[in-house]
Amino acid sequence: MNEFADYLARELPKIEECLREHVAELNPYVRPAADHVLAAGGKRLRPLLTILTARALGLGEDEDVYPLACSLELLHSATLLHDDILDDAALRRGKPAAHTVFGTTHTILAGDALLALANSMVARYGKPVLTECLSNAIMKTVSGEIQEIAHIRDVALSMDSYLEIITGKTACLIQSACQAGALMAGAPQALADAAGDFGMNLGIAFQLVDDALDYTSPKEVSGKPKGSDIREGKLTLPLISYIASLDGEHRKRFTQAFKDDTLSEDQLVSALAAVASGGYAEQTRDMAASYLDKAGQCLEAFPDSAEARLLRAALEGMARRDK
Ligand code: FPP
Ligand code: MG
């Protein structure tokens, strides 16, 4: 077993145990939807990042970082419960999305309860900087999401706005996962900043890869239907690049139909194929690779340790990610 797999095998059961223990605090009416989203799996990337960053920056193995780490996973789970309602998504991680099982009202409230539980778990550390770190993550995630919604079917979306959206809705939470670890370790400001920058660049790369996979990864692998973004009216980098490649008349016809949500199934299928064959998903992955390089540079400030090496290995895993 390699070093990374070994570490995961040791840490994942502890993360799962901590999640189970805390979700058990929830009201029995809330629990089924919360259990549903957590049982569907997930990579537990955010808690792992908190644990690795904290230990890479000096936190002892005997210090209880798990509730802090798991609060980030609970916040992430809350956003997914709400996101699948907003996107009217039927599947999450290959399973029926919670709102299709428990109804919209119930699922919104379960998301709120998970959010409150995450806050409470962090507040119990009695460290305002940690509470502020989580609150920032919540505020920025919501802002990114609302900005994305404001630009649905907006074919004039600029590259800068697209990057602002993915930074807000995805990268800021991953940034906070790393910052939280650094704060818990009491790292000096320069290292806490490096940890935050590492998370930010990794998070942007994560969403770029996600946006590429939406055009290339089959449902059986990703757990969500291929082509969801174009159907949901989301302008992501592969589609932005594809539209830019079209000649005048074709571009006009395509963008008008996309804007009006009148693309036929045939048009959707051929646009999906054109994005894949034109290399636009690959280009998006190339851009992700440049953010992963920047994330790697941030790690140069970290003292050498098993955890710092594992954070670097996480970058390689992200570059290869297929689901
Ligand atoms: C997935 O993006 C969604 C997010 C990264 C963020 C969702 C955030 C909210 C709904 C904001 C408010 C929620 C709370 C509880 C603070 P995606 O739809 O592109 O990816 P997907 O294909 O995995 O659904
Ligand atoms: Mg979604």
Side-chain angles (χ1 to χ4, degrees), residues 53-54 56-58 179 181-193 195:
T53 312
L57 297 181
Q179 273 171 341
L183 292 169
M184 176 86 186
Q189 194 60 47
L191 278 175
D193 289 347

Side-chain angles (χ1 to χ4, degrees), residues 83-84 87 92 232 234:
D83 182 66
D84 286 339
D87 290 345
R92 168 67 60 189
E232 290 167 12
K234 285 184 191 162

Side-chain angles (χ1 to χ4, degrees), residues 79-302:
T79 71
L80 297 183
L81 289 177
H82 287 184
D83 182 66
D84 286 339
I85 295 170
L86 295 170
D87 290 345
D88 197 19
L91 283 180
R92 168 67 60 189
R93 296 166 175 161
K95 307 268 165 37
H99 67 104
T100 69
V101 179
F102 305 100
T104 305
T105 309
H106 210 98
T107 304
I108 292 173
L109 295 173
D112 292 344
L114 278 181
L115 188 58
L117 177 61
N119 277 287
S120 158
M121 285 160 68
V122 176
R124 288 172 214 169
Y125 282 89
K127 293 186 178 171
V129 283
L130 291 179
T131 310
E132 194 183 356
C133 180
L134 190 83
S135 302
N136 261 328
I138 297 170
M139 244 179 319
K140 289 183 177 157
T141 306
V142 173
S143 305
E145 183 70 8
I146 201 163
Q147 191 173 346
E148 175 172 83
I149 291 167
H151 289 283
I152 290 289
R153 301 195 182 282
D154 172 11
V155 289
L157 183 75
S158 67
M159 185 66 192
D160 282 355
S161 299
Y162 165 70
L163 284 173
E164 237 178 72
I165 289 169
I166 65 171
T167 298
K169 77 169 186 174
T170 302
C172 288
L173 179 45
I174 294 178
Q175 177 190 38
S176 290
C178 297
Q179 273 171 341
L183 292 169
M184 176 86 186
Q189 194 60 47
L191 278 175
D193 289 347
D197 291 346
F198 166 80
M200 171 61 84
N201 285 300
L202 175 66
I204 295 173
F206 179 92
Q207 189 60 47
L208 285 166
V209 172
D210 216 63
D211 290 348
L213 288 175
D214 194 86
Y215 283 88
T216 55
S217 185
K219 186 166 82 180
E220 301 68 45
V221 178
S222 71
K224 45 195 183 186
K226 187 151 93 172
S228 299
D229 286 343
I230 188 168
R231 290 176 204 277
E232 290 167 12
K234 285 184 191 162
L235 262 297
T236 61
L237 186 54
L239 186 59
I240 294 173
S241 309
Y242 167 65
I243 290 176
S245 77
L246 297 175
D247 61 46
E249 199 42 45
H250 190 176
R251 187 189 304 183
K252 215 163 132 188
R253 263 200 325 269
F254 181 85
T255 52
Q256 194 59 51
F258 179 74
K259 221 165 132 174
D260 299 342
D261 193 14
T262 55
L263 283 173
S264 66
E265 191 55 30
D266 277 356
Q267 279 174 304
L268 276 169
V269 171
S270 72
L272 273 178
V275 167
S277 67
Y280 304 111
E282 259 327 294
Q283 272 177 24
T284 303
R285 290 190 82 111
D286 290 346
M287 185 156 172
S290 72
Y291 281 96
L292 292 173
D293 279 350
K294 287 190 209 175
Q297 285 161 27
C298 300
L299 284 183
E300 283 164 19
F302 282 39

